[in-house]
Amino acid sequence: MNFLEIRNRIIQCLSEYLQCPIMLNNQQNPEAEYPYLFYSAAPYTPEGGQGDYQLEKLDDGYLEKRTGEASCTFSFTCCSTDREVGNEYVLGEDEAFRFADKAAGWFLHAGYDTIAGMGITVDDVSAVQDRSTLMVDEEARRYGFDVRIRYVRTDTRKIGTIEHVVTKKGDSNEL
């Protein structure tokens, strides 16, 4: 899987687990109903080394594959606010923390089969921390955490072959 496939599957599964929307940060979407999460990602950090190279014979050349370990960091933030829902008063502080903590728990335990099935490993899940911010006259309650995953990245390119070579003597030799 490439990074976009991994990201989309993680967001879909986590959203289904939490039963709330998860959106990419800094988008021009209207604000969702509370609670919701937003995220940002640093999609590629090389994990050292040049990777493993393989050649695959094609009819008209070779396919060169480079495979190596990469990591990605996601930052998730859950947003809520104090409000009335039906006959119940919701404390945004508690709701934001509860959803952020549940999301972090998905990476630590509940989503293990999904994550392993994608061929990725969770390297680190940071502590859930307060990320609240003042919004004019009321505070938007926010709690968030970061997740670092490791995955296999594969790059490919088609390369040609040298079929004839001319030596210093001017002879043409086939390879």
Side-chain angles (χ1 to χ4, degrees):
M1 294 182 102
N2 65 38
F3 167 74
L4 293 177
E5 293 168 328
I6 291 169
R7 180 200 66 189
N8 292 344
R9 182 88 169 112
I10 286 173
I11 298 305
Q12 175 192 359
C13 292
L14 184 57
S15 179
E16 290 170 2
Y17 176 72
L18 296 174
Q19 293 296 299
C20 74
I22 302 175
M23 299 163 290
L24 182 59
N25 193 23
N26 295 326
Q27 298 299 300
Q28 295 297 321
N29 298 328
E31 193 166 312
E33 294 289 323
Y34 293 112
Y36 65 90
L37 277 77
F38 63 84
Y39 73 95
S40 59
Y44 175 66
T45 303
E47 290 296 320
Q50 293 298 312
D52 296 323
Y53 285 81
Q54 294 178 336
L55 286 177
E56 182 180 313
K57 178 100 170 95
L58 303 173
D59 290 337
D60 59 343
Y62 287 89
L63 183 66
E64 181 183 58
K65 291 183 182 180
R66 180 202 164 274
T67 304
E69 284 193 24
S71 66
C72 165
T73 302
F74 288 95
S75 182
F76 290 95
T77 301
C78 183
C79 303
S80 185
T81 190
D82 297 345
R83 65 194 187 287
E84 287 187 35
V85 178
N87 294 332
E88 182 182 345
Y89 190 77
V90 175
L91 291 173
E93 175 85 8
D94 294 347
E95 185 176 57
F97 174 78
R98 187 173 63 251
F99 272 83
D101 189 56
K102 187 175 179 180
W106 185 82
F107 285 98
L108 292 168
H109 181 67
Y112 178 81
D113 290 338
T114 300
I115 291 166
M118 288 188 284
I120 65 173
T121 302
V122 175
D123 257 359
D124 184 49
V125 178
S126 72
V128 173
Q129 299 177 0
D130 184 17
R131 296 180 177 175
S132 296
T133 185
L134 185 62
M135 303 288 283
V136 184
D137 61 346
E138 185 179 347
E139 191 165 11
R141 304 299 182 168
R142 295 179 178 172
Y143 277 86
F145 63 98
D146 296 336
V147 175
R148 183 179 164 145
I149 64 168
R150 191 179 304 259
Y151 65 100
V152 175
R153 176 183 171 135
T154 301
D155 298 296
T156 61
R157 70 178 177 160
K158 187 177 174 185
I159 57 175
T161 59
I162 300 172
E163 298 193 19
H164 298 282
V165 64
V166 177
T167 63
K168 289 184 181 181
K169 293 180 182 180
D171 297 332
S172 177
N173 297 317
E174 196 168 309
L175 292 178

